[in-house]
Amino acid sequence: MPIVKELRLSPKQQEFVEDKHRYTAFFGGKGGGKTYGGAIKAVFYGLKESNAGALIIVTAPTYWTLMTATMKAFFEVMPKECVPRGALKQEPAPHLTLPNGTEYWFMTSHEPRNLQGPSIAAFWMDEEAKQPDNTAWQEMSARLRSPDYECQGWLTSTPDGLNWAYDIFTGGNPNYRYYTASSYDNPFTPKAYRDSIGDNYDAQVLRQEVYGEFVSLSGMVYSQFVESRCLGEPGTKELTTVGGIDFGFNNPSVIEVLARDRDGYHWQRDEFYQSGVTLDDIAAEAHRLKKQYNISRFYCDPTEKQLTESLKRKGLPAVMAFKDVETGIQQVATLLEHDKLKFSPSKSFYVRQQMKTYVRAQVLEGARAKPVKRHDDAVDALRYAALGLRGVQRMREVAWSMR
């Protein structure tokens, strides 16, 4: 007889639960439903017929969090008929064996060496992004090697600045995928909670603790960026479209597609973001985007003259982008300040994340700090394109004045 239990999920929780990537994460604000989503994913995995007999590890940083939050959510989700009397053992650590042979072991991650052991099929690490480094994550990933299962590991947590979790999940590795949700995205929390949760935070902390965003708590380059205000599509307007290219290889290679309409609005329309690609891969993607969006020119990383020339030989209208970083930043910031820059809701994932985490270095004596060269590939490509479009517009204005 099939096991039936009614569960309510928000759209973002459902996306996360159903995701099949090897490594996934759900970063959310307080009360955003991230732990509940992680518990549902763990239960669904263990009850799946093809995963019968799997060994699954569930962790939290402390025993208190494990017992009062992680395991509490897990057993709220797990159907009671799957937990017969005596099935949950407490020694040597809490562990549960389901009727189908699947085993769950519940452990703390604050001593990563204690997580070493045999092969596992899956793991779930709750609130792991709050840990100071990724040692525990590495230990669990090293055990994810059971040959008879589709192995998966996932993390649920409130973000904690631009730390190791940000690094691994935003690095462009195709095996990693993450989701974010704010405290307001969870329709199942009490209205009074949602109405008051933001009262005790300043603006930057609010973005991390309530909106579940990766943020640096000082020195933002694009402080004018407010995501909810910057989403949109150009519709059927006449557009001039260019691309910005930042070359990577080990780091992500990025193409940002940016268009300008006659009213001066700029529309980010699409992006390519991937690590470990060759120049041929970049050229093939640029040709595809050029055809799809009628791109007139690609503005490329000004430090990569040879690669830009190689793209030209491959039949692309590639030129060197304007070099001055601060001029480009000022152009993007001005567009944001005047509400003239919009991002595709579905094709701007990486550039929107970097707009929120692109920061300046800390310096002494009031000198102007340079932006940190870290996770800036997408914002660099956007900057190249924005300056390129400004140049195109100015050439048109000069041509018009000479008529």
Side-chain angles (χ1 to χ4, degrees):
M1 182 177 177
I3 297 169
V4 178
K5 182 167 184 174
E6 182 178 351
L7 298 171
R8 300 188 301 169
L9 289 86
S10 70
K12 290 190 176 182
Q13 285 173 329
Q14 185 162 348
E15 272 191 275
F16 166 69
V17 168
E18 294 177 351
D19 194 296
K20 301 301 183 186
H21 283 78
R22 184 172 178 86
Y23 300 109
T24 52
F26 191 1
F27 297 107
K30 297 180 185 301
K34 55 192 181 295
T35 297
Y36 185 70
I40 293 176
K41 195 174 179 76
V43 170
F44 278 16
Y45 186 96
L47 291 179
K48 190 176 179 181
E49 186 176 348
S50 60
N51 292 334
L55 176 58
I56 303 168
I57 305 296
V58 177
T59 76
T62 66
Y63 189 74
W64 176 259
T65 301
L66 182 70
M67 298 297 293
T68 63
T70 311
M71 290 181 66
K72 181 175 183 294
F74 176 87
F75 284 103
E76 285 176 358
V77 171
M78 178 65 74
K80 288 184 170 51
E81 57 266 40
C82 295
V83 191
R85 184 182 297 273
L88 178 62
K89 310 293 186 181
Q90 296 297 331
E91 297 293 340
H95 59 284
L96 169 70
T97 303
L98 302 185
N100 69 355
T102 295
E103 285 186 65
Y104 295 91
W105 283 75
F106 302 90
M107 308 175 72
T108 59
S109 60
H110 70 283
E111 290 288 351
R113 65 179 180 272
N114 294 337
L115 298 175
Q116 297 174 359
S119 301
I120 60 175
F123 66 82
W124 166 32
M125 306 188 81
D126 191 30
E127 293 297 351
E128 189 61 25
K130 295 293 187 180
Q131 293 282 63
D133 58 45
N134 68 338
T135 306
W137 175 268
Q138 289 178 326
E139 291 289 356
M140 298 306 300
S141 298
R143 294 180 61 182
L144 199 65
R145 55 182 187 266
S146 288
D148 299 326
Y149 302 96
E150 184 180 356
C151 294
Q152 288 184 276
W154 58 95
L155 176 155
T156 55
S157 187
T158 300
D160 191 26
L162 308 185
N163 68 353
W164 65 269
Y166 174 82
D167 288 341
I168 65 172
F169 277 98
T170 66
N173 188 321
N175 289 321
Y176 287 78
R177 180 66 187 271
Y178 75 97
Y179 300 84
T180 60
S182 76
S183 305
Y184 306 113
D185 289 329
N186 186 356
F188 311 119
T189 54
K191 183 178 183 300
Y193 177 84
R194 294 199 301 273
D195 289 345
S196 62
I197 180 63
D199 292 349
N200 298 315
Y201 298 102
D202 64 30
Q204 286 295 87
V205 177
L206 181 79
R207 291 175 59 187
Q208 173 175 286
E209 298 297 320
V210 176
Y211 285 94
E213 297 178 2
F214 287 111
V215 295
S216 172
L217 298 184
S218 63
M220 285 186 65
V221 173
Y222 293 122
S223 58
Q224 308 88 347
F225 179 74
V226 179
E227 188 168 21
S228 61
R229 205 176 67 198
C230 293
L231 301 179
E233 299 283 5
T236 58
K237 297 177 181 179
E238 183 179 337
L239 302 171
T240 300
T241 305
V242 303
I245 299 180
D246 192 71
F247 300 103
F249 307 112
N250 289 328
N251 293 324
S253 291
V254 183
I255 304 174
E256 294 292 338
V257 178
L258 188 67
R260 185 185 192 277
D261 66 25
R262 287 187 171 185
D263 297 321
Y265 285 89
H266 289 59
W267 306 88
Q268 184 279 346
R269 304 203 65 195
D270 208 337
E271 71 180 352
F272 169 76
Y273 185 101
Q274 192 168 328
S275 302
V277 294
T278 66
L279 188 64
D280 285 340
D281 296 327
I282 298 170
E285 187 63 21
H287 274 294
R288 183 189 70 79
L289 293 169
K290 178 179 182 295
K291 181 178 180 181
Q292 181 174 350
Y293 294 101
N294 192 28
I295 294 174
S296 60
R297 187 164 292 180
F298 288 94
Y299 294 91
C300 304
D301 184 344
T303 66
E304 298 289 357
K305 182 177 180 180
Q306 290 184 340
L307 295 178
T308 303
E309 292 297 323
S310 295
L311 289 184
K312 290 174 68 174
R313 289 193 293 270
K314 293 178 183 294
L316 289 163
V319 297
M320 302 280 283
F322 188 67
K323 189 174 183 178
D324 188 76
V325 174
E326 290 299 335
T327 301
I329 288 174
Q330 186 58 47
Q331 173 66 5
V332 174
T334 299
L335 292 172
L336 288 168
E337 186 174 349
H338 292 88
D339 200 27
K340 292 283 189 177
L341 178 57
K342 305 295 182 182
F343 295 80
S344 165
S346 60
K347 297 180 179 180
S348 61
F349 181 81
Y350 292 102
V351 69
R352 281 189 285 129
Q353 292 303 317
Q354 290 188 7
M355 292 294 287
K356 295 179 285 191
T357 56
Y358 190 37
V359 296
R360 294 186 183 276
Q362 298 297 317
V363 295
L364 301 176
E365 299 179 0
R368 186 172 180 82
K370 293 182 179 180
V372 177
K373 288 297 297 176
R374 181 171 178 260
H375 300 298
D376 58 354
D377 324 87
V379 289
D380 280 355
L382 182 73
R383 170 167 55 84
Y384 303 152
L387 273 182
L389 278 174
R390 189 180 75 165
V392 169
Q393 180 63 18
R394 286 187 173 178
M395 285 189 290
R396 286 180 175 172
E397 291 170 355
V398 171
W400 180 262
S401 68
M402 295 175 64
R403 289 183 179 181

